[in-house]
Amino acid sequence: MSEEFLRRLDKQACEWAEGRHRTKRVGLWMAVFLAVGTVLEYVLGVTIDRNLPIMLAINIAEAAAILWFFMHVRRAWRSEEH
Amino acid sequence: MAVHEATRVAPHHEEEHNRPAMNQMGLWLFFVSESFLFAALASARFYIAGFDRPEHLNQALGLGITSILLTSSVFAYLAEAAIVRGDRAACKIYLLATIFLGLVFAGGVAIEWSTAEFTASEPYGTAFFSMTGLHASHVLSGVGLLALTYRLLSKGHFSAESHWGVEASIKYWHFVDVVWVFFYPILYLFSW
């Protein structure tokens, strides 16, 4: 096997690992964000009256995060091949 | 003749080139139309029952099933990310996890239905059973879609270059999750 081929293979493996690492980082941060948001919602919901504004704010933030990071809403206007 | 042939063939190629964008737009339009349906039920909850909710609502169960559904969404994201880089095995594992958690969520809703201290003839009960019932039916159909996707993956379908089926079914799952993000506090937590 040529050195060029091995170098290219190594580069592809690194890119693959980097992409996987980035994906898991996004997944982890989203999991933390959603968990914190849900617990905060629960605590506010059972302890505070007239909680509608803050609860709505938390809901919209969670929904926006899911739409952006998980559902890739920006792709709706792009024609990517897959 | 050759010019006529070229003209006849060209639109087909253009359609194929635009298909990913058409797929995306069609899916998002479907989500928008479903959103109107869920929004109608959510507004009906407030119209017929105001901000009232039963004293002995099972808050722990509500929090539990919400956590399960949000966790399933994380696994669904990881499944999509796996097929994007061509890792079919990881995609299948994450899909199985998503399916399992989805079924646990549906089971939790069933427990809530069977142990509820209110009935469907009460205003809050009507709203509760309608909203959770419609949402649970979407969860179950989502589970079915994901199971079909898993089966197709096992047969060798989908790849890093071509995985619209995986992406669409997972997007649907995330949509169901977003609906619950609003339904959960509307039913269990909102007060004014």
Side-chain angles (χ1 to χ4, degrees):
Chain A
M1 285 187 190
S2 70
E3 213 170 287
E4 175 66 27
F5 175 76
L6 286 171
R7 208 166 43 81
R8 245 189 282 156
L9 204 62
D10 188 50
K11 183 170 176 255
Q12 267 179 10
C14 285
E15 281 171 4
W16 187 86
E18 200 183 283
R20 193 174 172 188
H21 183 65
R22 186 169 53 235
T23 301
K24 287 202 168 160
R25 204 165 51 226
V26 170
L28 179 66
W29 278 114
M30 276 297 290
V32 168
F33 176 70
L34 293 173
V36 167
T38 304
V39 169
L40 191 61
E41 260 185 333
Y42 175 78
V43 169
L44 291 174
V46 298
T47 57
I48 296 178
D49 282 337
R50 293 185 168 257
N51 57 29
L52 181 62
I54 182 127
M55 297 285 275
L56 258 181
I58 295 170
N59 295 152
I60 290 169
E62 284 183 337
I66 292 173
L67 280 165
W68 189 259
F69 291 106
F70 283 177
M71 296 179 79
H72 314 294
V73 63
R74 62 193 162 186
R75 285 192 206 159
W77 289 271
R78 282 205 237 146
S79 56
E80 290 171 5
E81 293 292 336
H82 49 68
Chain B
M1 182 70 171
V3 170
H4 177 71
E5 192 66 28
T7 310
R8 199 166 60 82
V9 166
H12 174 73
H13 282 166
E14 196 180 326
E15 277 171 23
E16 285 306 310
H17 178 72
N18 289 335
R19 186 163 296 281
M22 283 159 52
N23 288 344
Q24 291 279 0
M25 192 54 65
L27 187 62
W28 281 101
L29 282 174
F30 169 68
F31 290 155
V32 168
S33 73
E34 288 283 277
S35 300
F36 279 109
L37 176 60
F38 286 114
L41 276 184
S43 61
R45 180 263 190 269
F46 294 110
Y47 184 76
I48 62 174
F51 282 92
D52 296 338
R53 60 175 194 260
E55 281 293 318
H56 303 292
L57 203 52
N58 196 337
Q59 293 286 356
L61 183 59
L63 178 64
I65 61 177
T66 302
S67 307
I68 283 165
L69 195 64
L70 292 177
T71 306
S72 76
S73 218
V74 175
F75 280 119
Y77 165 75
L78 292 174
E80 189 188 350
I83 196 63
V84 164
R85 60 173 191 268
D87 191 345
R88 204 180 267 129
C91 182
K92 283 167 63 178
I93 290 168
Y94 288 130
L95 273 181
L96 272 180
T98 307
I99 290 166
F100 172 72
L101 291 174
L103 290 172
V104 171
F105 175 86
V109 172
I111 291 171
E112 182 72 271
W113 276 34
S114 62
T115 59
E117 294 181 4
F118 44 85
T119 63
S121 54
E122 299 167 30
Y124 176 83
T126 300
F128 182 89
F129 291 117
S130 305
M131 289 170 71
T132 56
L134 184 69
H135 181 262
S137 68
H138 280 72
V139 167
L140 290 174
S141 61
V143 165
L145 265 177
L146 291 174
L148 175 64
T149 305
Y150 178 87
R151 183 162 164 73
L152 290 173
L153 264 171
S154 302
K155 285 184 165 185
H157 292 267
F158 307 125
S159 65
E161 295 77 30
S162 171
H163 55 268
W164 169 245
V166 178
E167 182 178 343
S169 54
I170 288 175
K171 271 196 167 81
Y172 179 78
W173 190 256
H174 290 313
F175 169 73
V176 165
D177 193 31
V178 168
V179 170
W180 188 252
V181 161
F182 288 101
F183 270 24
Y184 166 57
I186 283 173
L187 288 170
Y188 288 83
L189 302 173
F190 276 2
S191 68
W192 189 250

